[in-house]
Each structure stands twice: as structure tokens, then as C-alpha cells.
Amino acid sequence: MTLRVNPAPSTVSVAHNLEYRGIEISVVVPTFNESENAPLLIGRIAEALQGVQWEVIVVDDDSPDGTADVVREIAQKNPRVRVIQRIGRRGLSGACIEGMLSSSSPYVAVIDADLQHDETLLPKMLHALKTEQLDVVVGSRYIAGGGIGEWDASRARISRVATDLARILVKGDLKDPMSGFFMLRSDVLQDIVRNLSGQGFKILLDLFASSERPLRFKELPYKFRTRQFGESKLDHLVIWEYLTLIMDKLIGKWVPIRFVMFALIGGIGVILHLIALRIALSAGIEFEPAQIIATLLAIFSNFTLNNFLTYRDRRLRGVRFIWGLVSFTLVCGAGAVANVGIASALFTRHHQWLLAGLSGAFIGAVWNYAVSSIVTWPNRRRPIPARKATARS
Ligand code: GDD
Ligand code: MN
């Protein structure tokens, strides 16, 4: 029996389907500057999923090349296509999660817009999910029949190492946990979604690592294609983001990952401080000015590294960078006062210099972290950036 839910309104007649059965599979396509690729991909998905009730949800982070407009134009003619345009936000995993959550279908898939993934796998993935006891089907480069295409040796090696590392987090022998191409049951997503880290590029790994029970999965092979238009958005920071995700999944339950980074960078600051002090003293500078120079240098290095790594998602640039540096210096100054005050009070009472010193340093670090996260790197949305010339105007 076919349920007739919501007959399609006449203005939105779903082409070639007299009977509207509701969308079965939502294909989420994250995009950033993919105005040339997105229309091609949508055409190919339509071809691959003939006979299936599908929809495409493009999640675009306000690409300067006007990807969202290009897709909206297609959506005007094809109600199976829609766009979520996110303003002032970036991030592949976050985009995928939002796209998947905006779907009401029983199955959701994620595929890159740049035609590097093989869309002809989609009907096979759907079939596997419907006929076998599975939670997720993964497009895999690392099983027989799959391949990484024209990658240079160094990228292939990095991917291999990252894949091996990922296996620490995945319960089960998933050969391609870094894949950005997969399909899963929506109810499985609902079970996991609140545990997701949502950071960085590795949404599939995030899903596997965040699920409380081992996911039942199957891998289907495909050959990673070469990108024809546009360029990859993976930069050198991707490796850092990846390590952040792994750390978050391993220890994030107990300590905020940002604090761990902040403390590590603080440690680097202490080392720099001592090196600078040593150099300044041997250059004949008096102790007091030498100590001031070393302190300022350490503050500057801590600020810059935190701005680049710990708060890369809220990075301050231009004039904001200068103001950030000033506020960070003030915050750390207050932190130092708290540090010395507490350490001295403890020392007067217990006369244990190590305990007193460490407690003071710890309180100072927590203060610096907590206050700078509010004052220097507040979690406010960036103002909507002006669009540069769009590809279509
Ligand atoms: N919305 C949104 N926001 N989309 C993004 C962003 C972002 O910040 N960054 C990248 N994308 C989109 C791209 O437009 C593309 O459709 C897809 O995400 C993949 O980005 P690429 O820049 O092409 O990544 P890649 O080809 O280097 O990496 C792919 O392969 C890896 C496997 O090694 C991705 O699929 C990775 O997820 C995958 O791990
Ligand atoms: Mn790509």
C-alpha cells in the first residue's frame, strides 16, 4: 500500500511523478566556491537517482563566487533542489550537519560538490541501507575496486597516516574513515547528533567516534576523481583541525580542548620568555628591562599563536588584531596579579614553594583562558562581509 501523504500543491508539481510519496533520500552538498561544479553535480545526481524520490540540499557558506545564486536559479525550475545559505560562518562538518538536519527523509547522504566523488554509487548505497541491517554506507577509496586517483605521494602518505590514526576512534575496521562521501539512516543521525564535535572536515569520523554504540556499516568502493574546476579548500591547518578532533574525542569529555591548547601555547610562551631573557641579559641589558622585554615577547607570542590556532574560528585581523593584543595583555596582566597574590598567600600559610607556585600559575592560566575567551575572542558572529564581484554579475 502506498501512503498518500501531502499531495503536492499544484504550483509545485513534482516532475514526472503523479503520485507524491515524500522524499526518500536527501543528498547534502556542502559548497564553498563551487559555482561551476554544483550545476553539473546536480544534473548527475538527477541522472543517477532516476526512479527515486530524491532532493539535493546545497549548504553554501556565502561563497564569494555566487554559488548560492547559481543553485537558487536551478531550484526555481526544480523543486527537488534547495539551498541553505549560511552567513558569516565556515566549516565543512558544520555545513553537513545543518544540511542533514534540515531533511525530513529517512535517508541522508553527503557528497562533495566538486565531482570528485562518484555519484553513481548513490543508488547502490540506498539499496544497501534498505535491504541490509546497516546504519551507514561509506564510499571507500581504500578497499578493492577503490582508489585515490591522481594524488601526489605526499598527500597520499598524509591521508594514510591520518586514516591509521582515525582507527583509534572508530569501533570497527572501517577502511576509509576520512571519506567525505556516505549515506546513513536519519534516525541514526538523530541518536548521535548531540554528541558530534562538529569541528573541521571529518564529519564521517566524527559520526563514528561520537556514536555510543558501534555503527553497522558497509563500504562500497569508488575511485576519487580529479577536480576540474575550482580548488581544494583543505589547507595546512586541516592537519591541526584533525588533531583537534581526535583530542576532543579522546579527552574532550573531561577538559575543554581549547584550554588544553591555550595551556600548551602558554608553555611555549614560558620557554620563549626564558630564551629571550637569557639573550637580553647576555647582551648586557639590566635584569628589569630584560624581564619586561621577555614578558612582552611571551605575551605577543601567546596572543598570536592562540589567535592562529586556539581561536582560528574567531581569528582577529587588522585593527581587531591590535585591539585583541591590547586586551589580551591587560587580561594577562590581571592574571599575573592573581597568580602572585594567590601564590604568596599560600606560601605564607604553608611554606611550600612548589605547591604555592604551581597553584598560582594554574589559577593565572585559568583566569587568562576564561577571561580572554570572553574579552579578547568573544563568540560573536562576524558582520556580514560584503560580497565581492560574483561570478554571475
Ligand atoms: N559549506 C562549506 N563550508 N563547504 C565547504 C567548506 C566550508 O567551509 N570547505 C569546503 N567545502 C566543500 C567544498 O566546496 C567541496 O564541495 C567539499 O566541501 C570538499 O572540499 P574540498 O576542498 O574539495 O576538499 P578535498 O577534496 O581536499 O577533501 C575531500 O576529500 C577528503 C578525503 O581525503 C573532502 O571530502 C574531505 O571531507 C575528505 O576527508
Ligand atoms: Mn575536493
Side-chain angles (χ1 to χ4, degrees):
M1 186 185 74
T2 333
L3 278 178
R4 279 170 179 273
V5 212
N6 285 341
S10 55
T11 46
V12 195
S13 71
V14 181
H16 312 305
N17 277 297
L18 297 173
E19 198 178 13
Y20 181 71
R21 280 176 281 132
I23 300 293
E24 184 164 41
I25 167 78
S26 301
V27 183
V28 174
V29 183
T31 58
F32 193 75
N33 286 346
E34 306 286 3
S35 61
E36 287 172 295
N37 290 315
L40 295 174
L41 178 73
I42 294 170
R44 292 197 192 179
I45 291 175
E47 200 154 304
L49 289 175
Q50 276 178 41
V52 177
Q53 296 283 5
W54 58 272
E55 70 173 344
V56 163
I57 303 166
V58 171
V59 189
D60 182 67
D61 285 353
D62 203 26
S63 303
D65 80 343
T67 305
D69 288 339
V70 173
V71 178
R72 263 192 291 268
E73 230 168 85
I74 300 172
Q76 278 288 317
K77 300 183 200 102
N78 188 346
R80 291 190 184 276
V81 178
R82 59 194 166 96
V83 191
I84 296 174
Q85 184 175 1
R86 308 198 305 167
I87 307 293
R89 320 242 313 264
R90 276 300 301 275
L92 179 51
S93 287
C96 294
I97 295 168
E98 277 185 46
M100 292 192 284
L101 287 177
S102 83
S103 143
S104 325
S105 339
Y107 303 100
V108 285
V110 171
I111 186 169
D112 285 358
D114 55 5
L115 309 172
Q116 294 195 275
H117 295 158
D118 183 355
E119 70 289 336
T120 62
L121 222 54
L122 289 168
K124 294 173 199 148
M125 291 170 145
L126 184 61
H127 181 77
L129 277 177
K130 285 167 80 172
T131 55
E132 297 170 47
Q133 296 269 315
L134 292 170
D135 299 313
V136 47
V137 179
V138 177
S140 176
R141 297 161 294 174
Y142 297 132
I143 57 172
I148 52 173
E150 295 171 15
W151 270 4
D152 57 47
S154 90
R155 172 141 189 199
R157 199 169 48 239
I158 293 176
S159 181
R160 275 285 176 195
V161 173
T163 303
D164 289 342
L165 205 54
R167 300 234 176 94
I168 308 173
L169 296 179
V170 177
K171 310 157 190 95
D173 188 23
L174 179 61
K175 296 282 190 247
D176 195 354
M178 318 295 278
S179 178
F181 182 28
F182 57 90
M183 189 182 291
L184 79 164
R185 295 204 334 254
S186 298
D187 58 314
V188 174
L189 174 72
Q190 282 299 330
D191 286 346
I192 308 175
V193 73
R194 284 173 196 81
N195 301 336
L196 291 174
S197 159
Q199 296 293 315
F201 260 70
K202 303 303 166 197
I203 176 66
L204 181 70
L205 178 60
D206 200 354
L207 283 165
F208 272 86
S210 306
S211 171
E212 274 159 24
R213 63 175 173 85
L215 293 177
R216 295 165 302 178
F217 65 88
K218 176 178 193 168
E219 290 182 86
L220 295 178
Y222 80 98
K223 291 200 168 65
F224 199 73
R225 302 184 194 130
T226 312
R227 195 187 245 279
Q228 305 291 340
F229 305 105
E231 52 199 37
S232 168
K233 281 92 210 169
L234 290 186
D235 58 10
H236 48 286
L237 272 189
V238 153
I239 298 174
W240 174 262
E241 285 190 341
Y242 177 60
L243 293 176
T244 317
L245 172 66
I246 300 217
M247 278 205 295
D248 187 27
K249 284 294 149 196
L250 289 176
I251 55 170
K253 259 183 254 167
W254 299 287
V255 215
I257 286 307
R258 277 200 216 263
F259 180 69
V260 174
M261 286 187 210
F262 195 87
L264 284 177
I265 289 171
I268 297 174
V270 171
I271 295 170
L272 272 180
H273 180 117
L274 294 178
I275 294 174
L277 184 62
R278 178 84 182 73
I279 293 175
L281 289 177
S282 54
I285 301 176
E286 296 278 309
F287 184 82
E288 208 173 289
Q291 172 74 351
I292 292 176
I293 295 172
T295 306
L296 290 178
L297 182 87
I299 289 181
F300 182 74
S301 118
N302 284 1
F303 173 74
T304 313
L305 284 175
N306 278 314
N307 193 46
F308 194 65
L309 297 172
T310 316
Y311 292 102
R312 67 198 175 292
D313 54 333
R314 308 179 194 172
R315 194 173 295 161
L316 306 169
R317 296 185 166 90
V319 184
R320 289 244 193 119
F321 182 91
I322 308 288
W323 280 119
L325 181 58
V326 171
S327 78
F328 187 73
T329 308
L330 294 176
V331 169
C332 292
V337 172
N339 170 348
V340 173
I342 284 165
S344 311
L346 281 176
F347 186 72
T348 335
R349 276 185 164 195
H350 305 289
H351 295 283
Q352 284 180 330
W353 67 269
L354 188 60
L355 185 75
L358 281 178
S359 310
F362 180 72
I363 301 283
V366 172
W367 162 277
N368 289 351
Y369 168 71
V371 180
S372 72
S373 77
I374 300 167
V375 176
T376 310
W377 291 282
N379 190 6
R380 63 165 163 247
R381 289 185 30 177
R382 281 181 282 140
I384 299 172
R387 228 342 138 69
K388 294 196 196 98
T390 67
R392 314 197 27 95
S393 50

